[in-house]
Amino acid sequence: MITTRAAVLRAMGAARPYAASRPLAIETVTLDPPGRDEVLVRIRAAGLCHSDLSVINGDRPRPMPMALGHEAAGEVEAVGDGVGDLKPGDRVVMVFMPSCGHCAPCAGGRPALCEPGAAANGKGELLGGGRRLHLGGETLHHHLGCSAFAERAVVSRRSLVRVPDDLPFEHAALFGCAVLTGVGAVVNTAGVKAGQSVAVVGLGGVGLASVLGALASGASPVVAVDLSEDKLALARSLGPVRTVNAADPDAVEQVRALTGGGAEVVLEMAGSAKALEAAWKMTRRGGTTVTAGLPPPEAALAVNIVSLVAEERTLKGSYIGTCVPSRDIPRFVGLFREGRLPVDRLLSGTAALEEINAAFDDLAEGRAVRTVISL
């Protein structure tokens, strides 16, 4: 058995502020050694994401109790049988959707839709089946195959991508979710081309990563939409970005005016039906609306079918940026190292594991884009 500290969530729906209610308890847990096709990772940095927050507040129900966290980077400590392409000391990024490589979506080049991976994530298990986390006599659930708010984790080999050894851990962690989802939605799901107009609604870590992806793709103009003036200012600092405050009564009209009648691609990253409705209205005739936000399961959108048909509109979902992680993480890291994808600008700061509840307050209140737990 391997002993490690981890942030454990026992029940969803705790009252805010989390610094007072403390939904995440830092517990000393035990890990089974890595089994076949599994890897023990010493986690060095883990980002706080709205997907974690949505489990804490109950918007995304998951089996409890659960060791939380899904966006992380670390180094390999040990490998199980069958793992021949990783060795101790290798630097890796965790990916929150493991892919089996054999189901119909994987065989069709769409590992983000892996059926066994989705089933394992829904049950709080690893891709190979079962759970490896224990607290006393209790077995804990894994969060998206990662459980990354911890000093160590046992994960499927299919949940890891190797990255350069000199890539800082706090930057590397962001590639596992914010960058994969945000940049991937631009280049993979929407297929943005140079010169196309793009609007991004919602400027959390994923939304701002989408802004970076749109700029790197040569989109013009790029319009960023959010309620926070601080986030709008950050978006403007990233490059030639025009901004609109979503609280303005004429926000949709402003975006349509800035893009000559509506953007060709609008990406909704706020995770709300209201934001998606606004994104749909910001999209021009013949354009594409992409959503990667994850609202509560009961959220719904009413679409005018005549407009969908007569205007040849497209509405697309994007999960993990429609990425092939083993292909796209190295590509995106390469762009970062060339200065064309300044992912480090998304980092709001670092915190200790013991400060995680207060850090989630900052995320919930919109005071942080990406806080990284340093381990």
Side-chain angles (χ1 to χ4, degrees), residues 11-359:
M12 296 174 285
R16 285 166 43 195
Y18 297 133
S21 61
R22 302 186 67 80
L24 291 170
I26 309 305
E27 305 274 13
T28 299
V29 304
T30 54
L31 280 167
D32 297 334
R36 183 167 186 82
D37 297 325
E38 293 176 354
V39 180
L40 172 65
V41 178
R42 173 65 171 97
I43 299 170
R44 298 295 185 181
L48 273 63
C49 173
H50 271 88
S51 294
D52 305 304
L53 180 61
S54 65
V55 177
I56 295 171
N57 66 21
D59 283 349
R60 299 290 295 173
R62 295 286 179 182
M64 296 286 117
M66 174 173 281
L68 220 57
H70 70 283
E71 179 187 83
E75 55 195 354
V76 173
E77 278 201 343
V79 299
D81 291 342
V83 180
D85 58 342
L86 288 177
K87 64 183 185 304
D90 285 347
R91 192 164 299 203
V92 290
V93 167
M94 289 187 174
V95 176
F96 63 88
M97 171 52 76
S99 54
C100 71
H102 305 294
C103 67
C106 285
R110 304 186 71 182
L113 302 181
C114 176
E115 293 165 349
N121 281 359
K123 292 186 290 186
E125 298 181 350
L126 297 189
L127 183 61
R131 293 171 281 163
R132 314 288 184 268
L133 279 161
H134 312 279
L135 179 56
E138 188 174 32
T139 299
L140 306 178
H141 294 88
H142 298 267
H143 185 211
L144 301 177
C146 298
S147 293
F149 297 142
E151 295 166 328
R152 288 174 175 82
V154 169
V155 301
S156 167
R157 170 63 186 90
R158 297 282 187 164
S159 296
L160 299 172
V161 173
R162 188 179 177 187
V163 294
D165 291 339
D166 60 347
L167 184 65
F169 288 112
E170 65 271 20
H171 299 156
L174 305 182
F175 286 88
C177 178
V179 178
L180 269 186
T181 304
V183 179
V186 172
V187 302
N188 293 329
T189 312
V192 170
K193 298 176 178 62
Q196 284 191 304
S197 54
V198 172
V200 179
V201 181
L203 300 179
V206 173
L208 283 164
S210 295
V211 171
L212 291 177
L215 292 170
S217 298
S220 180
V222 176
V223 183
V225 184
D226 199 90
L227 294 167
S228 167
E229 285 296 336
D230 288 341
K231 290 180 179 177
L232 292 171
L234 176 55
R236 289 192 296 270
S237 76
L238 298 175
V241 178
R242 305 176 190 186
T243 56
V244 172
N245 194 305
D248 293 346
D250 63 342
V252 170
E253 289 73 21
Q254 287 185 53
V255 173
R256 294 184 67 86
L258 288 169
T259 55
E264 292 169 271
V265 175
V266 182
L267 301 114
E268 183 276 313
M269 302 298 185
S272 80
K274 184 177 180 181
L276 182 54
E277 181 181 2
W280 177 258
K281 293 177 180 177
M282 294 171 185
T283 309
R284 72 179 307 141
R285 291 167 57 90
T288 299
T289 310
V290 174
T291 177
L294 289 171
E298 66 273 10
L301 175 72
V303 174
N304 184 293
I305 299 173
V306 171
S307 295
L308 180 68
V309 175
E311 298 180 7
E312 291 196 351
R313 302 279 293 278
T314 300
L315 176 61
K316 301 182 74 173
S318 178
Y319 191 58
I320 197 170
T322 319
C323 283
V324 179
S326 60
R327 176 197 68 192
D328 290 328
I329 287 180
R331 287 180 176 179
F332 298 159
V333 169
L335 290 172
F336 169 61
R337 289 157 72 91
E338 292 171 1
R340 297 169 59 192
L341 199 66
V343 171
D344 55 312
R345 298 293 305 279
L346 307 181
L347 184 60
S348 302
T350 60
L353 186 60
E354 292 78 10
E355 300 171 311
I356 193 168
N357 287 296

